[in-house]
Amino acid sequence: MLDLAYTAPAPKVISGATSDWELVIGLEVHAQVATNAKLFSGASTLFGAEPNSNVAFVDAGMPGMLPVINEGCVAQAVKTGLGLNAEINLVSAFDRKNYFYPDLPQGYQISQLYHPIVGEGEVLVEMGNGEARNVRIERIHLEQDAGKSIHDMDPAMSFVDLNRTGVALMEIVSRPDIRGPEEAAAYVLKLRQILRYLGTCDGNMQNGNLRADVNVSVCRPGDYEKYWETQDFSHLGTRCEIKNMNSMRFIQMAIDHEARRQIALIEDGQEVVQETRLYDPDKNETRSMRSKEEAHDYRYFPDPDLLPLEIEQAWVDDIKASLPELPDQKKARFIADFGLSDYDASVLTAEVVNAAYFEKVAEGRDGKLAANWVINELFGRLKKEDHSIEESPVAASQLGELIGLIKAGDINGKIAKDVFEICYTTGRDPAEIVETEGMKQVTDTGAIETAVDEIIAANPAQVEKAQANPKLVGWFVGQVMKATGGKANPAAVNQIVSAKLGL
Protein backbone atom coordinates (compact mmCIF):
# COMPACT_ATOMS: atom_id res chain seq x y z
CA MET A 1 0.00 0.00 0.00
CA LEU A 2 1.03 3.59 -0.52
CA ASP A 3 2.17 5.61 2.48
CA LEU A 4 -0.75 8.00 2.89
CA ALA A 5 0.25 11.05 4.93
CA TYR A 6 -2.78 12.92 3.66
CA THR A 7 -6.35 13.73 4.60
CA ALA A 8 -9.06 12.42 2.29
CA PRO A 9 -11.00 15.27 0.64
CA ALA A 10 -14.66 15.72 1.50
CA PRO A 11 -17.11 14.33 -1.08
CA LYS A 12 -18.83 16.66 -3.49
CA VAL A 13 -22.28 17.51 -2.10
CA ILE A 14 -25.14 18.77 -4.26
CA SER A 15 -28.21 20.22 -2.56
CA GLY A 16 -31.41 18.85 -4.06
CA ALA A 17 -34.99 19.93 -3.46
CA THR A 18 -35.51 17.36 -0.69
CA SER A 19 -32.04 16.53 0.64
CA ASP A 20 -28.32 16.67 0.09
CA TRP A 21 -26.69 14.19 -2.29
CA GLU A 22 -23.16 12.89 -2.63
CA LEU A 23 -21.40 11.80 -5.82
CA VAL A 24 -19.87 8.38 -6.41
CA ILE A 25 -17.60 8.00 -9.45
CA GLY A 26 -15.61 5.21 -11.03
CA LEU A 27 -13.61 5.41 -14.26
CA GLU A 28 -12.61 3.03 -17.01
CA VAL A 29 -9.62 4.62 -18.70
CA HIS A 30 -8.64 3.31 -22.14
CA ALA A 31 -4.94 3.90 -22.74
CA GLN A 32 -3.41 3.07 -26.12
CA VAL A 33 -0.35 0.91 -25.61
CA ALA A 34 2.82 2.59 -26.86
CA THR A 35 4.02 0.05 -29.42
CA ASN A 36 4.77 0.23 -33.14
CA ALA A 37 2.52 -2.72 -34.03
CA LYS A 38 -1.02 -3.72 -33.09
CA LEU A 39 -2.07 -6.23 -30.44
CA PHE A 40 -2.55 -9.21 -32.76
CA SER A 41 -0.98 -8.11 -36.04
CA GLY A 42 2.12 -6.44 -37.42
CA ALA A 43 0.19 -3.48 -38.82
CA SER A 44 1.50 -0.04 -37.89
CA THR A 45 -0.05 2.06 -35.12
CA LEU A 46 1.15 5.35 -36.64
CA PHE A 47 -1.41 8.11 -36.10
CA GLY A 48 -2.50 10.27 -39.02
CA ALA A 49 -1.84 7.75 -41.80
CA GLU A 50 -4.08 7.61 -44.86
CA PRO A 51 -7.43 5.95 -44.02
CA ASN A 52 -7.31 2.14 -44.13
CA SER A 53 -3.57 2.06 -44.84
CA ASN A 54 -2.54 0.49 -41.51
CA VAL A 55 -4.69 -2.64 -41.77
CA ALA A 56 -3.55 -6.27 -41.77
CA PHE A 57 -5.77 -9.14 -42.96
CA VAL A 58 -6.57 -10.18 -39.39
CA ASP A 59 -7.60 -6.59 -38.51
CA ALA A 60 -9.99 -6.58 -41.45
CA GLY A 61 -11.61 -9.82 -40.31
CA MET A 62 -10.58 -11.81 -43.38
CA PRO A 63 -11.52 -15.52 -43.22
CA GLY A 64 -8.88 -17.86 -41.86
CA MET A 65 -6.68 -15.12 -40.41
CA LEU A 66 -5.42 -15.94 -36.92
CA PRO A 67 -4.30 -13.46 -34.23
CA VAL A 68 -0.72 -13.59 -32.94
CA ILE A 69 -0.04 -11.87 -29.61
CA ASN A 70 2.41 -8.94 -29.61
CA GLU A 71 4.88 -9.55 -26.78
CA GLY A 72 5.67 -5.84 -26.61
CA CYS A 73 2.05 -5.06 -25.71
CA VAL A 74 2.12 -7.65 -22.94
CA ALA A 75 5.33 -6.17 -21.56
CA GLN A 76 3.84 -2.67 -21.56
CA ALA A 77 0.74 -3.88 -19.70
CA VAL A 78 2.91 -5.59 -17.08
CA LYS A 79 5.03 -2.46 -16.75
CA THR A 80 1.89 -0.37 -16.26
CA GLY A 81 0.61 -2.74 -13.59
CA LEU A 82 3.90 -2.57 -11.72
CA GLY A 83 3.86 1.22 -11.95
CA LEU A 84 0.40 1.24 -10.34
CA ASN A 85 1.49 -1.07 -7.48
CA ALA A 86 -0.75 -3.75 -8.91
CA GLU A 87 -0.76 -7.52 -8.82
CA ILE A 88 0.53 -9.15 -12.03
CA ASN A 89 -1.33 -12.31 -13.03
CA LEU A 90 1.09 -14.85 -14.43
CA VAL A 91 -1.79 -16.58 -16.20
CA SER A 92 -4.41 -14.59 -18.10
CA ALA A 93 -6.71 -15.31 -21.02
CA PHE A 94 -8.48 -13.60 -23.89
CA ASP A 95 -12.22 -13.64 -24.55
CA ARG A 96 -14.41 -12.66 -27.45
CA LYS A 97 -16.88 -9.87 -26.77
CA ASN A 98 -19.45 -10.32 -29.52
CA TYR A 99 -21.34 -7.39 -30.97
CA PHE A 100 -21.89 -5.90 -34.41
CA TYR A 101 -20.71 -2.47 -35.45
CA PRO A 102 -19.55 -1.32 -38.90
CA ASP A 103 -16.05 -0.43 -37.71
CA LEU A 104 -15.54 -3.84 -36.02
CA PRO A 105 -14.89 -6.13 -39.02
CA GLN A 106 -14.48 -9.34 -37.02
CA GLY A 107 -17.89 -8.98 -35.40
CA TYR A 108 -16.27 -9.29 -31.99
CA GLN A 109 -13.63 -7.60 -29.86
CA ILE A 110 -10.84 -9.63 -28.30
CA SER A 111 -10.65 -8.61 -24.64
CA GLN A 112 -10.01 -10.08 -21.17
CA LEU A 113 -13.21 -10.32 -19.14
CA TYR A 114 -12.60 -13.24 -16.83
CA HIS A 115 -8.82 -13.41 -16.46
CA PRO A 116 -7.12 -10.00 -16.86
CA ILE A 117 -3.37 -9.65 -17.03
CA VAL A 118 -3.24 -7.16 -14.11
CA GLY A 119 -5.15 -7.33 -10.84
CA GLU A 120 -5.67 -4.88 -8.00
CA GLY A 121 -3.54 -1.76 -7.66
CA GLU A 122 -3.82 1.85 -6.48
CA VAL A 123 -3.17 5.46 -7.45
CA LEU A 124 -2.55 8.32 -5.04
CA VAL A 125 -4.33 11.43 -6.32
CA GLU A 126 -3.18 14.62 -4.63
CA MET A 127 -5.70 17.46 -4.45
CA GLY A 128 -3.53 20.10 -2.75
CA ASN A 129 -3.66 21.51 0.78
CA GLY A 130 -2.53 18.18 2.21
CA GLU A 131 -5.51 16.31 0.77
CA ALA A 132 -5.29 13.20 -1.38
CA ARG A 133 -7.49 10.31 -2.46
CA ASN A 134 -6.17 6.77 -2.70
CA VAL A 135 -8.06 5.35 -5.69
CA ARG A 136 -8.12 1.58 -5.90
CA ILE A 137 -7.54 -0.05 -9.26
CA GLU A 138 -9.73 -3.11 -9.78
CA ARG A 139 -8.00 -4.49 -12.86
CA ILE A 140 -6.16 -3.73 -16.09
CA HIS A 141 -6.89 -5.82 -19.15
CA LEU A 142 -5.64 -5.82 -22.71
CA GLU A 143 -8.07 -5.47 -25.58
CA GLN A 144 -8.37 -4.40 -29.21
CA ASP A 145 -9.53 -0.95 -30.21
CA ALA A 146 -12.27 -0.59 -32.82
CA GLY A 147 -12.09 1.44 -36.01
CA LYS A 148 -13.64 4.84 -36.65
CA SER A 149 -16.93 5.63 -38.34
CA ILE A 150 -17.03 8.97 -40.14
CA HIS A 151 -20.44 10.52 -40.70
CA ASP A 152 -19.68 14.08 -41.80
CA MET A 153 -17.98 13.57 -45.17
CA ASP A 154 -21.10 12.83 -47.20
CA PRO A 155 -24.78 13.67 -46.61
CA ALA A 156 -25.97 10.23 -47.62
CA MET A 157 -23.14 7.86 -46.63
CA SER A 158 -20.89 6.99 -43.72
CA PHE A 159 -17.26 5.96 -44.11
CA VAL A 160 -15.14 3.59 -42.05
CA ASP A 161 -11.43 3.95 -41.27
CA LEU A 162 -9.92 0.73 -39.91
CA ASN A 163 -6.50 2.15 -39.02
CA ARG A 164 -7.26 1.97 -35.28
CA THR A 165 -8.83 -1.48 -35.53
CA GLY A 166 -6.74 -3.92 -33.54
CA VAL A 167 -4.60 -1.27 -31.83
CA ALA A 168 -3.76 -2.44 -28.30
CA LEU A 169 -5.57 -0.78 -25.43
CA MET A 170 -5.12 -1.12 -21.70
CA GLU A 171 -8.45 -0.67 -19.95
CA ILE A 172 -7.69 0.56 -16.43
CA VAL A 173 -10.77 0.07 -14.25
CA SER A 174 -11.04 1.90 -10.93
CA ARG A 175 -13.22 1.17 -7.93
CA PRO A 176 -15.97 3.71 -7.16
CA ASP A 177 -13.63 5.63 -4.86
CA ILE A 178 -13.78 9.07 -6.52
CA ARG A 179 -16.15 11.55 -4.86
CA GLY A 180 -16.25 14.63 -7.06
CA PRO A 181 -15.66 16.07 -10.56
CA GLU A 182 -12.33 17.66 -9.63
CA GLU A 183 -11.09 14.39 -8.17
CA ALA A 184 -12.07 12.54 -11.35
CA ALA A 185 -10.09 14.93 -13.54
CA ALA A 186 -7.14 14.82 -11.13
CA TYR A 187 -7.22 11.01 -11.21
CA VAL A 188 -7.09 10.90 -15.02
CA LEU A 189 -4.30 13.48 -14.97
CA LYS A 190 -2.29 11.47 -12.43
CA LEU A 191 -2.83 8.25 -14.37
CA ARG A 192 -1.70 9.99 -17.54
CA GLN A 193 1.40 11.27 -15.75
CA ILE A 194 2.36 7.80 -14.54
CA LEU A 195 1.82 6.23 -17.97
CA ARG A 196 3.98 8.89 -19.61
CA TYR A 197 6.75 8.37 -17.03
CA LEU A 198 6.58 4.63 -17.69
CA GLY A 199 6.54 5.14 -21.46
CA THR A 200 3.60 2.75 -21.83
CA CYS A 201 1.17 5.32 -23.31
CA ASP A 202 1.82 8.79 -24.72
CA GLY A 203 -1.35 10.12 -23.06
CA ASN A 204 -2.37 12.15 -26.10
CA MET A 205 -6.06 12.76 -25.41
CA GLN A 206 -6.56 14.85 -28.54
CA ASN A 207 -5.67 11.85 -30.72
CA GLY A 208 -7.82 9.53 -28.64
CA ASN A 209 -4.83 7.70 -27.19
CA LEU A 210 -6.21 8.24 -23.70
CA ARG A 211 -9.94 8.45 -23.07
CA ALA A 212 -12.24 7.66 -20.20
CA ASP A 213 -15.67 6.15 -19.64
CA VAL A 214 -17.04 7.81 -16.50
CA ASN A 215 -19.53 5.99 -14.26
CA VAL A 216 -21.61 8.38 -12.15
CA SER A 217 -24.17 7.73 -9.41
CA VAL A 218 -25.53 9.66 -6.45
CA CYS A 219 -26.38 8.60 -2.91
CA ARG A 220 -27.56 10.19 0.31
CA PRO A 221 -24.97 11.15 2.97
CA GLY A 222 -24.00 8.12 5.02
CA ASP A 223 -24.77 5.53 2.34
CA TYR A 224 -21.25 5.54 0.93
CA GLU A 225 -19.84 4.71 4.36
CA LYS A 226 -22.19 1.70 4.49
CA TYR A 227 -20.87 0.58 1.11
CA TRP A 228 -17.28 1.00 2.31
CA GLU A 229 -17.91 -1.15 5.37
CA THR A 230 -19.71 -3.92 3.49
CA GLN A 231 -18.58 -3.47 -0.16
CA ASP A 232 -22.27 -3.93 -0.93
CA PHE A 233 -23.10 -1.89 -4.05
CA SER A 234 -26.80 -1.79 -3.14
CA HIS A 235 -26.01 1.12 -0.83
CA LEU A 236 -25.00 3.18 -3.87
CA GLY A 237 -27.31 4.61 -6.49
CA THR A 238 -27.81 3.30 -10.01
CA ARG A 239 -24.89 4.34 -12.15
CA CYS A 240 -24.83 5.69 -15.67
CA GLU A 241 -21.77 5.56 -17.89
CA ILE A 242 -20.62 8.60 -19.88
CA LYS A 243 -18.71 7.29 -22.86
CA ASN A 244 -15.45 8.39 -24.51
CA MET A 245 -14.41 11.48 -22.56
CA ASN A 246 -11.10 12.97 -23.73
CA SER A 247 -10.95 16.33 -21.94
CA MET A 248 -10.32 17.05 -18.25
CA ARG A 249 -12.67 20.02 -18.35
CA PHE A 250 -15.43 18.11 -20.11
CA ILE A 251 -15.08 15.22 -17.64
CA GLN A 252 -15.85 17.62 -14.80
CA MET A 253 -18.72 19.31 -16.62
CA ALA A 254 -20.27 15.98 -17.66
CA ILE A 255 -20.12 14.56 -14.13
CA ASP A 256 -21.74 17.63 -12.62
CA HIS A 257 -24.55 17.65 -15.19
CA GLU A 258 -25.17 13.90 -14.97
CA ALA A 259 -25.31 13.98 -11.15
CA ARG A 260 -27.85 16.81 -11.20
CA ARG A 261 -29.91 14.95 -13.83
CA GLN A 262 -30.04 11.86 -11.63
CA ILE A 263 -30.94 13.86 -8.53
CA ALA A 264 -33.81 15.56 -10.37
CA LEU A 265 -35.16 12.18 -11.51
CA ILE A 266 -35.01 10.61 -8.06
CA GLU A 267 -36.60 13.59 -6.32
CA ASP A 268 -39.35 13.56 -8.95
CA GLY A 269 -40.19 9.98 -7.99
CA GLN A 270 -38.61 8.43 -11.10
CA GLU A 271 -35.92 5.80 -11.39
CA VAL A 272 -32.44 6.23 -12.80
CA VAL A 273 -32.01 3.72 -15.61
CA GLN A 274 -28.58 2.12 -15.94
CA GLU A 275 -27.41 3.10 -19.40
CA THR A 276 -24.58 4.44 -21.50
CA ARG A 277 -24.76 8.14 -22.27
CA LEU A 278 -22.85 10.65 -24.39
CA TYR A 279 -21.85 14.15 -23.33
CA ASP A 280 -22.59 17.12 -25.59
CA PRO A 281 -20.18 19.94 -24.60
CA ASP A 282 -22.01 22.50 -26.75
CA LYS A 283 -25.26 21.98 -24.84
CA ASN A 284 -23.55 20.88 -21.61
CA GLU A 285 -25.78 17.87 -21.26
CA THR A 286 -25.68 14.10 -21.43
CA ARG A 287 -28.02 12.10 -23.65
CA SER A 288 -28.87 8.44 -23.86
CA MET A 289 -26.74 6.32 -26.20
CA ARG A 290 -27.93 2.79 -25.36
CA SER A 291 -29.18 0.76 -22.43
CA LYS A 292 -26.30 -0.58 -20.40
CA GLU A 293 -25.55 -4.12 -21.46
CA GLU A 294 -24.52 -6.77 -18.97
CA ALA A 295 -21.79 -9.28 -19.73
CA HIS A 296 -24.28 -11.88 -20.98
CA ASP A 297 -25.54 -9.47 -23.63
CA TYR A 298 -22.15 -9.64 -25.33
CA ARG A 299 -22.08 -13.47 -25.33
CA TYR A 300 -18.53 -13.59 -23.99
CA PHE A 301 -16.61 -16.81 -24.44
CA PRO A 302 -12.90 -17.76 -24.44
CA ASP A 303 -11.23 -16.92 -27.74
CA PRO A 304 -10.61 -20.28 -29.43
CA ASP A 305 -7.72 -18.92 -31.49
CA LEU A 306 -5.63 -17.85 -28.50
CA LEU A 307 -4.13 -20.04 -25.81
CA PRO A 308 -4.08 -18.78 -22.21
CA LEU A 309 -1.28 -16.25 -21.79
CA GLU A 310 1.37 -17.56 -19.40
CA ILE A 311 4.29 -15.39 -18.33
CA GLU A 312 7.20 -16.13 -16.02
CA GLN A 313 7.87 -14.39 -12.72
CA ALA A 314 11.50 -13.87 -13.72
CA TRP A 315 10.36 -11.89 -16.78
CA VAL A 316 8.10 -9.75 -14.57
CA ASP A 317 11.00 -9.21 -12.16
CA ASP A 318 13.22 -8.04 -15.02
CA ILE A 319 10.58 -5.51 -16.08
CA LYS A 320 10.20 -4.33 -12.49
CA ALA A 321 13.96 -3.85 -12.18
CA SER A 322 13.90 -1.60 -15.25
CA LEU A 323 11.12 0.70 -14.00
CA PRO A 324 12.04 4.40 -14.07
CA GLU A 325 11.66 6.67 -11.07
CA LEU A 326 7.93 7.44 -10.88
CA PRO A 327 6.31 10.83 -10.17
CA ASP A 328 5.63 10.39 -6.45
CA GLN A 329 9.17 9.16 -5.78
CA LYS A 330 10.73 11.88 -7.94
CA LYS A 331 8.69 14.57 -6.21
CA ALA A 332 9.75 13.31 -2.76
CA ARG A 333 13.39 13.29 -3.87
CA PHE A 334 13.21 16.82 -5.26
CA ILE A 335 11.79 18.05 -1.96
CA ALA A 336 14.50 16.24 0.04
CA ASP A 337 17.50 16.90 -2.21
CA PHE A 338 16.77 20.41 -3.45
CA GLY A 339 14.74 21.81 -0.55
CA LEU A 340 11.77 22.57 -2.80
CA SER A 341 8.24 23.30 -1.67
CA ASP A 342 5.52 20.74 -2.33
CA TYR A 343 4.04 23.03 -4.99
CA ASP A 344 7.32 23.64 -6.85
CA ALA A 345 8.17 19.93 -6.79
CA SER A 346 4.70 19.11 -8.16
CA VAL A 347 5.09 21.58 -11.03
CA LEU A 348 8.56 20.33 -11.93
CA THR A 349 7.57 16.65 -11.90
CA ALA A 350 4.28 17.06 -13.77
CA GLU A 351 6.00 15.93 -16.97
CA VAL A 352 9.01 13.66 -17.13
CA VAL A 353 10.76 15.97 -19.64
CA ASN A 354 10.27 18.97 -17.35
CA ALA A 355 11.77 17.08 -14.44
CA ALA A 356 14.78 15.99 -16.51
CA TYR A 357 15.35 19.58 -17.66
CA PHE A 358 15.23 20.90 -14.12
CA GLU A 359 17.68 18.28 -12.84
CA LYS A 360 20.22 19.32 -15.45
CA VAL A 361 19.80 22.97 -14.49
CA ALA A 362 20.06 22.26 -10.75
CA GLU A 363 22.95 19.81 -10.88
CA GLY A 364 25.60 21.09 -8.47
CA ARG A 365 23.73 24.38 -8.00
CA ASP A 366 21.19 26.06 -5.71
CA GLY A 367 18.04 23.95 -6.17
CA LYS A 368 15.58 26.59 -4.95
CA LEU A 369 17.09 29.24 -7.22
CA ALA A 370 17.06 26.79 -10.13
CA ALA A 371 13.40 25.95 -9.50
CA ASN A 372 12.49 29.63 -9.39
CA TRP A 373 14.13 30.33 -12.74
CA VAL A 374 12.77 27.20 -14.43
CA ILE A 375 9.19 27.67 -13.22
CA ASN A 376 8.76 31.44 -13.25
CA GLU A 377 11.03 32.62 -16.04
CA LEU A 378 11.33 29.70 -18.47
CA PHE A 379 7.99 27.92 -18.04
CA GLY A 380 6.21 31.27 -17.87
CA ARG A 381 7.76 32.40 -21.15
CA LEU A 382 7.15 29.06 -22.89
CA LYS A 383 3.51 29.01 -21.79
CA LYS A 384 3.02 32.56 -23.04
CA GLU A 385 4.33 31.53 -26.45
CA ASP A 386 2.53 28.14 -26.38
CA HIS A 387 5.77 26.17 -26.57
CA SER A 388 6.77 22.94 -24.86
CA ILE A 389 10.01 22.36 -22.97
CA GLU A 390 11.33 20.44 -25.97
CA GLU A 391 11.01 23.66 -27.97
CA SER A 392 12.86 25.79 -25.43
CA PRO A 393 15.52 27.99 -27.08
CA VAL A 394 17.38 28.01 -23.76
CA ALA A 395 19.25 24.77 -23.09
CA ALA A 396 19.38 23.39 -19.55
CA SER A 397 23.15 23.91 -19.54
CA GLN A 398 22.67 27.59 -20.43
CA LEU A 399 20.12 28.22 -17.71
CA GLY A 400 22.37 26.41 -15.25
CA GLU A 401 25.25 28.64 -16.35
CA LEU A 402 23.09 31.72 -15.72
CA ILE A 403 22.29 30.54 -12.20
CA GLY A 404 25.97 29.92 -11.61
CA LEU A 405 26.74 33.53 -12.59
CA ILE A 406 24.13 34.77 -10.10
CA LYS A 407 25.49 32.64 -7.24
CA ALA A 408 29.05 33.69 -8.04
CA GLY A 409 28.04 37.34 -7.74
CA ASP A 410 28.97 38.10 -11.34
CA ILE A 411 25.44 39.38 -12.04
CA ASN A 412 22.46 40.31 -9.90
CA GLY A 413 18.84 39.34 -10.37
CA LYS A 414 17.94 42.33 -12.52
CA ILE A 415 20.86 41.86 -14.89
CA ALA A 416 20.16 38.11 -14.97
CA LYS A 417 16.72 38.78 -16.45
CA ASP A 418 18.28 40.88 -19.18
CA VAL A 419 20.81 38.13 -19.88
CA PHE A 420 18.03 35.54 -19.96
CA GLU A 421 16.13 37.62 -22.52
CA ILE A 422 19.16 37.82 -24.81
CA CYS A 423 19.87 34.12 -24.39
CA TYR A 424 16.22 33.25 -25.11
CA THR A 425 16.04 35.30 -28.29
CA THR A 426 19.53 34.68 -29.68
CA GLY A 427 20.69 31.36 -28.24
CA ARG A 428 23.96 32.91 -27.01
CA ASP A 429 25.58 31.56 -23.85
CA PRO A 430 25.04 33.62 -20.66
CA ALA A 431 28.75 33.91 -19.78
CA GLU A 432 29.55 35.20 -23.28
CA ILE A 433 26.66 37.69 -23.11
CA VAL A 434 27.84 39.08 -19.75
CA GLU A 435 31.40 39.42 -20.96
CA THR A 436 30.79 40.96 -24.39
CA GLU A 437 27.91 43.20 -23.33
CA GLY A 438 29.71 44.56 -20.28
CA MET A 439 27.00 43.36 -17.92
CA LYS A 440 29.21 42.03 -15.14
CA GLN A 441 28.18 43.19 -11.70
CA VAL A 442 30.25 45.90 -10.04
CA THR A 443 31.70 44.46 -6.84
CA ASP A 444 34.52 47.03 -6.44
CA THR A 445 33.62 48.71 -3.15
CA GLY A 446 35.70 51.75 -4.08
CA ALA A 447 33.61 52.41 -7.18
CA ILE A 448 30.41 51.86 -5.22
CA GLU A 449 31.55 54.20 -2.45
CA THR A 450 32.25 56.91 -5.01
CA ALA A 451 28.72 56.60 -6.39
CA VAL A 452 27.22 56.62 -2.89
CA ASP A 453 29.18 59.74 -1.92
CA GLU A 454 27.95 61.57 -5.01
CA ILE A 455 24.31 60.68 -4.33
CA ILE A 456 24.56 61.70 -0.66
CA ALA A 457 26.27 65.00 -1.49
CA ALA A 458 23.60 65.87 -4.03
CA ASN A 459 20.65 65.14 -1.73
CA PRO A 460 21.18 66.64 1.76
CA ALA A 461 17.45 66.91 2.46
CA GLN A 462 16.93 63.25 1.67
CA VAL A 463 19.84 62.41 3.98
CA GLU A 464 18.06 64.05 6.92
CA LYS A 465 14.86 62.17 6.16
CA ALA A 466 16.67 58.83 5.91
CA GLN A 467 18.50 59.43 9.20
CA ALA A 468 15.15 60.16 10.83
CA ASN A 469 13.47 57.21 9.14
CA PRO A 470 15.94 54.40 8.25
CA LYS A 471 13.34 52.78 6.01
CA LEU A 472 14.09 55.47 3.44
CA VAL A 473 17.58 54.05 2.89
CA GLY A 474 16.09 52.15 -0.04
CA TRP A 475 15.82 55.44 -1.96
CA PHE A 476 19.60 55.84 -1.89
CA VAL A 477 20.13 52.21 -2.89
CA GLY A 478 17.83 52.73 -5.88
CA GLN A 479 19.68 55.89 -6.92
CA VAL A 480 23.06 54.16 -6.73
CA MET A 481 21.78 51.22 -8.76
CA LYS A 482 20.44 53.65 -11.33
CA ALA A 483 23.73 55.54 -11.47
CA THR A 484 25.68 52.31 -12.02
CA GLY A 485 23.31 50.99 -14.69
CA GLY A 486 22.03 48.30 -12.34
CA LYS A 487 25.47 46.66 -12.21
CA ALA A 488 26.34 47.40 -8.59
CA ASN A 489 26.07 44.58 -6.08
CA PRO A 490 22.82 45.40 -4.19
CA ALA A 491 24.02 43.93 -0.90
CA ALA A 492 27.24 45.93 -1.03
CA VAL A 493 25.34 49.11 -1.94
CA ASN A 494 22.94 48.65 0.96
CA GLN A 495 25.80 48.07 3.39
CA ILE A 496 27.81 51.07 2.22
CA VAL A 497 24.78 53.42 2.16
CA SER A 498 23.83 52.42 5.72
CA ALA A 499 27.38 52.99 6.91
CA LYS A 500 27.69 56.39 5.20
CA LEU A 501 24.38 57.56 6.71
CA GLY A 502 25.34 56.28 10.14
CA LEU A 503 22.38 53.93 10.30
Side-chain angles (χ1 to χ4, degrees), residues 256-497:
D256 185 75
H257 174 272
E258 178 59 22
R260 294 179 188 277
R261 184 190 73 86
Q262 293 181 19
I263 291 169
L265 284 174
I266 298 169
E267 293 189 334
D268 195 37
Q270 301 181 55
E271 290 187 357
V272 175
V273 177
Q274 185 176 346
E275 61 181 351
T276 299
R277 300 179 69 83
L278 293 174
Y279 176 67
D280 184 338
D282 294 327
K283 297 181 179 179
N284 188 28
E285 65 180 23
T286 61
R287 62 174 183 270
S288 181
M289 178 182 176
R290 60 174 181 264
S291 62
K292 179 63 179 175
E293 298 91 342
E294 299 296 338
H296 60 79
D297 294 318
Y298 289 117
R299 304 186 309 283
Y300 277 98
F301 62 82
D303 193 300
D305 295 332
L306 291 162
L307 291 171
L309 180 61
E310 298 182 9
I311 58 179
E312 296 180 352
Q313 184 61 50
W315 188 61
V316 175
D317 292 341
D318 286 343
I319 294 174
K320 186 173 184 178
S322 69
L323 289 181
E325 185 180 38
L326 294 174
D328 289 343
Q329 289 72 41
K330 191 178 289 290
K331 176 183 171 182
R333 181 169 63 82
F334 278 13
I335 292 172
D337 291 357
F338 298 112
L340 304 185
S341 67
D342 185 274
Y343 173 79
D344 284 352
S346 295
V347 172
L348 292 168
T349 57
E351 295 285 353
V352 65
V353 289
N354 292 356
Y357 184 98
F358 165 74
E359 283 210 77
K360 290 179 182 178
V361 173
E363 185 176 3
R365 300 184 176 93
D366 185 319
K368 289 184 178 180
L369 184 61
N372 181 62
W373 275 87
V374 171
I375 294 172
N376 297 323
E377 300 300 328
L378 182 65
F379 286 179
R381 181 67 174 270
L382 292 174
K383 183 177 180 180
K384 182 180 179 181
E385 298 181 0
D386 196 26
H387 290 157
S388 66
I389 191 69
E390 294 94 336
E391 299 169 306
S392 172
V394 179
S397 59
Q398 291 176 315
L399 190 54
E401 184 179 279
L402 179 65
I403 291 167
L405 292 171
I406 297 171
K407 290 298 291 183
D410 292 337
I411 57 175
N412 57 39
K414 181 179 181 300
I415 294 174
K417 290 188 177 183
D418 294 335
V419 175
F420 175 82
E421 178 64 25
I422 297 172
C423 180
Y424 191 96
T425 54
T426 68
R428 294 163 60 190
D429 290 336
E432 182 269 328
I433 294 170
V434 170
E435 186 66 32
T436 58
E437 302 297 331
M439 302 174 78
K440 193 169 184 178
Q441 183 170 247
V442 176
T443 55
D444 178 7
T445 55
I448 295 175
E449 281 191 31
T450 299
V452 171
D453 289 340
E454 291 176 356
I455 299 297
I456 289 176
N459 297 277
Q462 197 69 20
V463 170
E464 291 183 12
K465 291 180 182 179
Q467 290 172 336
N469 182 5
K471 291 182 179 180
L472 296 179
V473 72
W475 183 85
F476 286 94
V477 174
Q479 292 299 308
V480 174
M481 294 301 293
K482 183 178 180 181
T484 59
K487 296 178 184 178
N489 184 305
V493 172
N494 192 73
Q495 185 179 11
I496 293 172
V497 167

Side-chain angles (χ1 to χ4, degrees), residues 185-186 188-189 192 205 210 246-253:
V188 175
L189 194 63
R192 177 180 181 272
M205 300 184 78
L210 187 77
N246 65 348
S247 159
M248 305 300 182
R249 184 167 69 93
F250 290 162
I251 284 174
Q252 296 181 67
M253 294 169 65

Side-chain angles (χ1 to χ4, degrees), residues 132-205:
R133 178 78 68 194
N134 189 42
V135 179
R136 297 170 298 164
I137 301 297
E138 178 183 332
R139 55 188 279 146
I140 303 175
H141 61 260
L142 282 168
E143 64 182 21
Q144 297 170 301
D145 202 355
K148 181 180 180 181
S149 295
I150 304 167
H151 308 294
D152 57 1
M153 291 180 64
D154 189 279
M157 293 188 295
S158 291
F159 296 85
V160 174
D161 180 3
L162 299 181
N163 279 348
R164 289 192 72 93
T165 302
V167 166
L169 299 178
M170 295 177 289
E171 182 169 335
I172 305 169
V173 182
S174 83
R175 297 284 186 179
D177 293 348
I178 300 166
R179 307 304 311 282
E182 296 80 10
E183 281 185 38
Y187 165 76
V188 175
L189 194 63
K190 182 60 176 288
L191 201 57
R192 177 180 181 272
Q193 180 191 34
I194 294 172
L195 295 175
R196 285 168 64 86
Y197 264 73
L198 290 168
T200 57
C201 174
D202 66 15
N204 191 322
M205 300 184 78

Side-chain angles (χ1 to χ4, degrees), residues 120-136:
E120 295 182 347
E122 57 188 353
V123 176
L124 180 65
V125 183
E126 295 180 56
M127 300 301 297
N129 301 317
E131 293 185 337
R133 178 78 68 194
N134 189 42
V135 179
R136 297 170 298 164

Side-chain angles (χ1 to χ4, degrees), residues 200-261:
T200 57
C201 174
D202 66 15
N204 191 322
M205 300 184 78
Q206 185 176 356
N207 291 351
N209 296 355
L210 187 77
R211 52 192 191 268
D213 298 339
V214 185
N215 290 283
V216 181
S217 65
V218 296
C219 65
R220 289 185 170 85
D223 286 348
Y224 188 82
E225 286 68 26
K226 295 177 184 176
Y227 152 74
W228 190 261
E229 292 173 4
T230 64
Q231 294 299 298
D232 182 353
F233 288 95
S234 66
H235 293 296
L236 305 180
T238 301
R239 73 182 188 276
C240 290
E241 179 186 54
I242 310 170
K243 198 75 174 171
N244 286 333
M245 303 296 298
N246 65 348
S247 159
M248 305 300 182
R249 184 167 69 93
F250 290 162
I251 284 174
Q252 296 181 67
M253 294 169 65
I255 290 172
D256 185 75
H257 174 272
E258 178 59 22
R260 294 179 188 277
R261 184 190 73 86

